[in-house]
Amino acid sequence: MSQLYGGKILWIDLSSGAVITKDTSGYARNYIGGRGINARIMYENVGPQTDALGPQNIIAFGTGPLSGTLFPGCSRTDVMCKSPVTNLIANANVGGDWAAELKYAGFDHVVLTGRAEHPVYLSVRNDIVELKDARHLWGGTTWDTQRTIKAELSDPEVKVLCIGPAGENMSTFATVHSNVGNSASRTGVGAVLGSKNVKALAVRGTGGVAVADPDAFFEACVAAHDTIKGADYYEELATLGVVQAEYAYVLSGIEAGSDAHDGVRDLDPQGTTDYPAFWKEYGHKRTGCMGCPVHCMENYDVPGHGSAVMSCELYTQLTWEVRNFDMHLLYDLVKQCMLMGIDNTSTATMIQFVMQLYDLGIIDESLTDGIRMEWGSKEAIHGALNAMVLRNTEFGDVLAQGMKATAEYFDSRVPSERRGGTSTYEHAMQVNNNPMYGINPRMNAMALGYAIGRRSDCITDLDTNQFDTITAPIYPGWTEEHRLAEVEYNYQTARDLTGLQNAGDPESLEGKAQIVHDMGIHTGLSDMAGTCKWHTKWLFLDLRPEHYAKALTAGLGREVSEDDLLRASLRMRHVERALECKMGRRRENDTIPAKEFGKPVSRGLWKGKLGVTREQLEGMKDEYYTLRGWDLETGVPTAATLHEFGLDDIASDLAERGILPGWTGEDFGR
Amino acid sequence: MYSVINVDIEKCTGCRTCELACSLHNYGECNPSRSRIFVVRDQDEGLITTVPVVCQQCEKPLCLNMCPAQAISRDPETHAVVIDEDKCLGCRTCVYVCPFGAPSVDPRLGVAQKCDLCGGSPSCVAICPKKALSYVGAEEESLRRKRTRVERYLSVIGTRG
C-alpha cells in the first residue's frame, strides 16, 4: 500500500474475462487521481469512432488520493466514458461510500472494457476479484440489487454501485446508483454500464489508507473541516438543508423553473410546492455521504409513499419543469427515478420538451403512444417516465434515445407547417443534446458555464460559477440587511479574484469569464482529489487549494504545492478539451439554445433584466478561450498550450488529425 | 465527575467521520475496519438509520469481569475501561459479552481493541459535525435526556399541562 493511494488500477476486459492491474503511480504525479486520471485514460482509449454503447467504449470509476481519508467529503467516485447522450465525454460523479471502500480494497480505479456475454456483477473483496453471474439480478431495482448482493455475499458492509432497469435497457439517461439516492446521474453512464452487461460493482475492503505523517495529516484534515464549518453558508446548509436553499433559489428566479422554458410565470399558484413545509411534515433525518460535514441530503418517510431521499435539484426538476405542483407526485417520481436508475434532471427536461410540443399543438397523442402530454398531468409524467425506462413502446424507445432522436422522430412525422417551418429540436432545452438543468441560462455567467462546460450542463459541472446565482437568494427568514451583507461579501470575493469592480454583479459581463475559468480549476481540484466539489468555494464552503496541498503534502510525505495542483487541474481540463475536440467539438458547439438569447428573466430578483445575447456570450467565450489558451477560432487547445502542460503527445495526435491550431509542422519529439 | 461518549442517534447523519478520525488517531491510517467506533447503517426500503456503536464505559463492565486474562481494567483518571495489550489473549470474550458489541479484535495486532476515550479527549467527538457525539458527564447526560424527552412528549400531546 502506497501513501494515500491504493496503488493499483483494476483493468477488466469483460469480453474475455481477463483481469489485470496497472500501477497508479504512472498517472498520479501529473493527474493526481479521480477525474484527472480518468481523463488521461479516456484520451488514450476512446475517440470519434468509438460507439458509446458498443464494447469498444470503456468506462472508468476513479477515486482520488483523499478518498476514504479524514479529509472532508472523501466520498467521491468519478465516472467517465464516452457519452451516448452527447457523443463527447460522459462524466458523472457519485458520493456515498463506494470510493472509500475501493481504496480500502487496495485499488484507485476500476476500468471496464468490452462486453460480458451475459449479465454479470463485479465483486472485489480486497485482492479477490471476480465476475459473478447477475442474470438473476437483471430487471431488479437499484435498491433490491444492492440488498440481494449484500445478502448473497453475506456481508452487509459491501458497498455497491449498480444500474436499474433503465441502465439495462440502455436508456441514454440511465444512472449508476448507490445507497439511497447517491447517483452518478448525467450523460448516460448507466446506459454504458448496461451496454456492457454489468449490473453492479460490489466492493469490500478492510485495508486502510496510509499516510506519511499521521499527525500533520490529522491536523490538515481538521483544519479543512473547521474551515467548512466556519464558512458563511455552512449554517444554512447544515441546519436548514438544501431544501431551504433550493426554495430560496426558486423564489429568487435563479432556478429557472418555468422561466427558461416559456412556461408558467406564477411562482406557485396554489402554494403547494413549499419544499420546507414538506420537509417539516415528513422529514426523517438529514443524511449525506461519507466524511461530509454538510450532509446535504434529506431522508423522508411519507405515509403511503414510503421512504426516499431528496436533495438539491430534485426539488425543482419534476415540479417546475413539467408544471407539477403536487409535492407527493414529485416525491413518487423522484423515488421512481432512483429505483429505476434514471436521471431525474434529464427525465424532467425530456418530458417538458414533449409537453411543450404537445401544448403548442405541434404533436398529438398519436405520437406519444396515446398519452395526453398535458402540463402537470400525473398520468403523462408517469407514463413518459416508465416508457423511457422500459422502452416498451415506440414513444418510450424514442425518448430513451435522447432529445435529438426524439426531435427527428417528430420532424419526420409532423408536417413542416405545423412546426412553423423549423425543427422541433429548436424547442429542446439542450446543449450538445444534453438536457439542461433548471438553473437559468439567461444569466450571464450561467450561459457561459452551460456553453463551455465539458458535459454541457452547469451545476455539478465544473466550468461554472455560482457567484451571480447565489449573490442574492432570498432565504426564508433572512432580513434584507442580512441578504445585502451576503451580497456584498460575494461581490468582494469576485472583486478579489478578478480585480474588477463589478465582477460580482449579475448584470455585468465584467470578469465573468475569469470567474468561470477560475471556478473550473478549483472544482477540478476536488474532482482529482476524490472529494466533493461542494466544499470548494463553488458553494462558498471555502476549501482552498492550500487545504488540498497541505493534506496531500502530509499524506504523501513530499511537498505538493498549490501551484502543482492548480496546474494539474488545468492540465486535466486541456486533456478533456483535446479529447472533446478529437471527437468533433468546436467553438460553435459551445452555446445555449438559440431561443434563449436575449430573453429577460421573467420573475424573481432580476425580473425583466439579464437575458444574455448571442454577441455577449461570444464575447465571454473569447475571454474564456484566451484565459485557457484555446484557439479563438476553433476552441481547440493550441499547440503552445499543450506543450506548456507537457502534453506534446496529445498535440501530436491532434496535429495528425489536422485539427491542431497553430501547428507549424514540428514533430513534438515523438 | 467522569464523562462518557454519548450518542444521539437522531442527530447522526451516518457520515462516519468518527471512524476515520478514530483510526487515524489510533493507528495512523484511515481505516474504518480498525476504528473503535463504528456506525451501523440500515437503509432498507429507503429509510436510513445510522447508529454509532462505541463503548459506553459500563459501570459494571462485563468485558472487565469476564476477561480470562484479567487484561481489562478501569483507568483511574478517565474512568475508561482499558485493555492491557500485553496481557490480552485475543480470545474475543469481551467481544461476545459486550451489550453493544463494541470491542473488536484487531487482525493485525491480534489483541482486543476498544475505545479508551483518547485519554480524556476523544477525537471522534471533537470532529463530529452534527454533534451527535458528545463527551459529557454521565449524570448530566441523563438529566439532559429527561428534559428532551419531556419536551417531545409535550409537543406530541399538544399541551404544556
Side-chain angles (χ1 to χ4, degrees):
Chain A
M1 187 168 59
S2 45
Q3 317 288 13
L4 287 189
Y5 289 93
K8 287 175 296 200
I9 296 172
L10 186 58
W11 201 292
I12 299 173
D13 181 350
L14 297 158
S15 300
S16 67
V19 176
I20 59 164
T21 57
K22 301 187 180 188
D23 286 343
T24 312
S25 55
Y27 291 99
R29 196 172 280 262
N30 279 340
Y31 297 96
I32 314 292
R35 186 182 138 205
I37 293 181
N38 275 355
R40 183 70 210 190
I41 290 174
M42 281 302 136
Y43 194 94
E44 290 165 3
N45 289 279
V46 297
Q49 308 306 326
T50 309
D51 173 4
L53 296 175
Q56 65 271 48
N57 196 0
I58 72 167
I59 183 165
F61 300 81
T63 72
L66 296 177
S67 301
T69 72
L70 185 59
F71 197 82
C74 67
S75 65
R76 308 303 298 194
T77 303
D78 187 273
V79 189
M80 217 182 261
C81 54
K82 185 167 182 180
S83 169
V85 179
T86 61
N87 261 324
L88 301 167
I89 303 173
N91 190 203
N93 192 285
V94 54
D97 41 20
W98 191 89
E101 204 70 22
L102 186 69
K103 291 278 292 283
Y104 303 150
F107 298 101
D108 299 303
H109 289 243
V110 176
V111 179
L112 303 176
T113 72
R115 173 184 283 155
E117 211 168 288
H118 59 75
V120 294
Y121 74 91
L122 172 68
S123 167
V124 177
R125 301 171 67 79
N126 292 323
D127 54 358
I128 303 169
V129 179
E130 297 168 282
L131 288 172
K132 289 175 171 280
D133 195 343
R135 278 175 284 204
H136 61 299
L137 298 170
W138 214 244
T141 68
T142 54
W143 296 359
D144 284 346
T145 301
Q146 295 180 68
R147 187 172 41 228
T148 308
I149 288 176
K150 288 176 189 190
E152 69 186 39
L153 295 176
S154 305
D155 188 349
E157 306 309 329
V158 167
K159 312 296 186 260
V160 182
L161 288 180
C162 66
I163 57 170
E168 296 169 9
N169 295 330
M170 291 180 266
S171 182
T172 54
F173 305 121
T175 64
V176 175
H177 197 93
S178 189
N179 289 342
V180 182
N182 292 120
S183 181
S185 290
R186 301 278 281 162
T187 54
V189 292
V192 172
L193 205 53
S195 77
K196 302 200 166 302
N197 261 332
V198 174
K199 180 66 175 171
L201 294 86
V203 176
R204 179 76 175 114
T206 54
V209 177
V211 294
D213 183 342
D215 290 340
F217 188 74
F218 198 99
E219 199 179 312
C221 292
V222 169
H225 275 273
D226 287 347
T227 300
I228 290 173
K229 288 189 270 192
D232 254 35
Y233 281 83
Y234 178 73
E235 266 311 307
E236 276 86 8
L237 282 169
T239 315
L240 302 172
V242 182
V243 58
Q244 199 84 342
E246 207 55 41
Y247 198 57
Y249 300 160
V250 170
L251 289 172
S252 311
I254 293 162
E255 281 289 341
S258 47
D259 242 13
H261 315 295
D262 301 319
V264 281
R265 300 196 168 197
D266 287 337
L267 181 65
D268 188 356
Q270 311 294 328
T272 48
T273 56
D274 186 339
Y275 316 136
F278 191 77
W279 165 243
K280 208 173 164 194
E281 176 88 24
Y282 302 117
H284 167 60
K285 80 182 314 176
R286 299 290 309 282
T287 184
C289 302
M290 186 166 177
C292 179
V294 181
H295 33 78
C296 71
M297 299 160 88
E298 284 103 31
N299 189 208
Y300 287 85
D301 189 14
V302 185
H305 300 258
S307 294
V309 154
M310 302 254 282
S311 182
C312 201
E313 288 276 309
L314 296 180
Y315 288 111
T316 59
Q317 297 297 310
L318 284 157
T319 42
W320 298 92
E321 303 283 308
V322 294
R323 300 195 205 172
N324 159 41
F325 302 111
D326 176 351
M327 282 298 286
H328 285 84
L329 174 57
L330 166 71
Y331 185 77
D332 287 346
L333 291 164
V334 166
K335 184 169 176 175
Q336 182 73 354
C337 286
M338 283 178 193
L339 292 170
M340 294 296 121
I342 192 164
D343 174 33
N344 194 290
T345 297
S346 305
T347 300
T349 311
M350 279 300 296
I351 294 176
Q352 176 208 57
F353 170 50
V354 178
M355 285 182 164
Q356 176 91 355
L357 297 175
Y358 187 88
D359 189 50
L360 292 168
I362 295 172
I363 61 166
D364 58 28
E365 47 267 36
S366 70
L367 295 178
T368 60
D369 190 35
I371 304 171
R372 296 170 57 81
M373 295 301 296
E374 284 162 349
W375 287 119
S377 156
K378 183 177 176 175
E379 292 70 30
I381 305 170
H382 266 303
L385 167 58
N386 288 335
M388 209 185 304
V389 169
L390 299 173
R391 304 183 72 162
N392 54 357
T393 62
E394 191 172 87
F395 174 55
D397 187 50
V398 165
L399 288 184
Q401 293 172 55
M403 287 190 137
K404 199 166 180 55
T406 303
E408 281 166 2
Y409 175 79
F410 290 149
D411 286 355
S412 68
R413 283 161 179 78
V414 174
S416 175
E417 57 273 22
R418 223 161 89 201
R419 296 184 262 116
T422 61
S423 167
T424 52
Y425 201 42
E426 296 292 310
H427 296 274
M429 289 299 287
Q430 54 74 33
V431 179
N432 290 319
N433 203 33
N434 195 29
M436 294 166 82
Y437 272 107
I439 296 279
N440 201 330
R442 297 177 189 180
M443 311 178 90
N444 297 337
M446 274 302 138
L448 181 61
Y450 270 119
I452 52 77
R454 78 206 145 81
R455 62 177 210 191
S456 310
D457 61 24
C458 73
I459 193 160
T460 38
D461 206 342
L462 345 136
D463 300 277
T464 186
N465 89 92
Q466 294 278 310
F467 277 120
D468 64 350
T469 65
I470 24 184
T471 38
I474 309 165
Y475 271 100
W478 275 20
T479 61
E480 184 63 3
E481 196 181 14
H482 188 173
R483 190 180 75 81
L484 291 174
E486 293 295 327
V487 171
E488 185 43 41
Y489 170 80
N490 298 341
Y491 273 39
Q492 194 54 50
T493 311
R495 265 179 225 128
D496 292 346
L497 173 68
T498 62
L500 298 165
Q501 186 62 20
N502 298 319
D505 181 356
E507 293 187 70
S508 165
L509 293 166
E510 204 171 88
K512 291 295 184 282
Q514 170 83 47
I515 291 170
V516 173
H517 168 70
D518 182 75
M519 197 67 62
I521 297 172
H522 284 82
T523 55
L525 187 50
S526 59
D527 287 342
M528 293 189 305
T531 64
C532 183
K533 63 170 67 68
W534 272 47
H535 296 164
T536 64
K537 60 183 177 176
W538 182 79
L539 207 68
F540 297 104
L541 288 174
D542 279 345
L543 282 198
R544 308 272 162 171
E546 72 203 51
H547 293 108
Y548 296 89
K550 273 187 188 146
L552 289 169
T553 299
L556 293 171
R558 62 173 166 84
E559 183 67 23
V560 177
S561 72
E562 291 175 43
D563 277 355
D564 292 341
L565 294 176
L566 296 173
R567 204 172 137 75
S569 181
L570 255 177
R571 180 184 295 115
M572 162 180 77
R573 190 63 183 90
H574 293 316
V575 172
E576 290 168 344
R577 182 70 182 187
L579 175 54
E580 287 181 309
C581 293
K582 182 168 95 169
M583 290 169 166
R585 188 169 185 165
R586 295 291 183 276
R587 180 177 176 133
E588 60 267 26
N589 304 108
D590 297 348
T591 189
I592 61 171
K595 73 186 178 103
E596 289 300 308
F597 284 122
K599 280 196 194 152
V601 176
S602 67
R603 62 179 168 74
L605 287 165
W606 295 288
K607 187 175 176 176
K609 298 177 183 169
L610 299 169
V612 68
T613 65
R614 190 186 294 273
E615 292 68 35
Q616 288 172 329
L617 177 59
E618 293 304 318
M620 288 190 286
K621 278 162 63 179
D622 280 345
E623 278 183 62
Y624 179 84
Y625 294 152
T626 305
L627 288 163
R628 290 257 147 149
W630 297 350
D631 180 44
L632 282 181
E633 193 184 328
T634 60
V636 180
T638 64
T641 302
L642 294 171
H643 179 71
E644 188 195 332
F645 284 85
L647 300 170
D648 282 352
D649 60 331
I650 287 178
S652 174
D653 182 48
L654 294 184
E656 268 173 36
R657 291 166 192 274
I659 57 171
L660 183 66
W663 184 56
T664 50
E666 68 268 47
D667 66 357
F668 303 103
R670 201 160 89 159
Chain B
M1 194 175 69
Y2 58 87
S3 296
V4 295
I5 294 176
N6 291 286
V7 176
D8 186 336
I9 61 171
E10 285 174 26
K11 285 185 183 166
C12 176
T13 66
C15 74
R16 302 169 68 197
T17 309
C18 51
E19 298 177 10
L20 298 165
C22 177
S23 55
L24 184 57
H25 175 87
N26 287 301
Y27 305 104
E29 62 172 308
C30 297
N31 187 352
S33 296
R34 303 187 81 187
S35 173
R36 299 164 181 186
I37 181 168
F38 181 78
V39 181
V40 174
R41 181 188 180 96
D42 185 273
Q43 56 191 25
D44 269 4
E45 302 306 324
L47 191 70
I48 299 171
T49 309
T50 57
V51 183
V53 175
V54 63
C55 173
Q56 291 298 302
Q57 321 295 348
C58 298
E59 295 302 322
K60 296 178 183 172
L62 286 172
C63 59
L64 188 152
N65 294 338
M66 302 288 279
C67 177
Q70 296 182 327
I72 304 181
S73 61
R74 179 80 72 179
D75 183 302
E77 270 181 43
T78 61
H79 205 69
V81 176
V82 293
I83 296 172
D84 183 337
E85 292 182 11
D86 291 336
K87 289 186 185 169
C88 177
L89 306 170
C91 73
R92 298 174 206 275
T93 302
C94 54
V95 179
Y96 299 140
V97 299
C98 174
F100 300 101
S104 48
V105 173
D106 188 278
R108 271 183 250 178
L109 302 174
V111 292
Q113 302 283 295
K114 67 175 286 301
C115 171
D116 60 1
L117 299 173
C118 293
S121 172
S123 52
C124 57
V125 173
I127 206 157
C128 176
K130 200 68 174 159
K131 297 189 171 53
L133 303 175
S134 56
Y135 186 56
V136 293
E139 289 170 41
E140 189 186 320
E141 173 62 14
S142 298
L143 286 170
R144 190 189 68 77
R145 275 183 196 241
K146 286 177 180 52
R147 183 161 287 280
T148 55
R149 293 303 187 271
V150 166
E151 287 295 335
R152 181 183 306 166
Y153 175 71
L154 291 176
S155 75
V156 169
I157 64 171
T159 171
R160 300 192 73 85

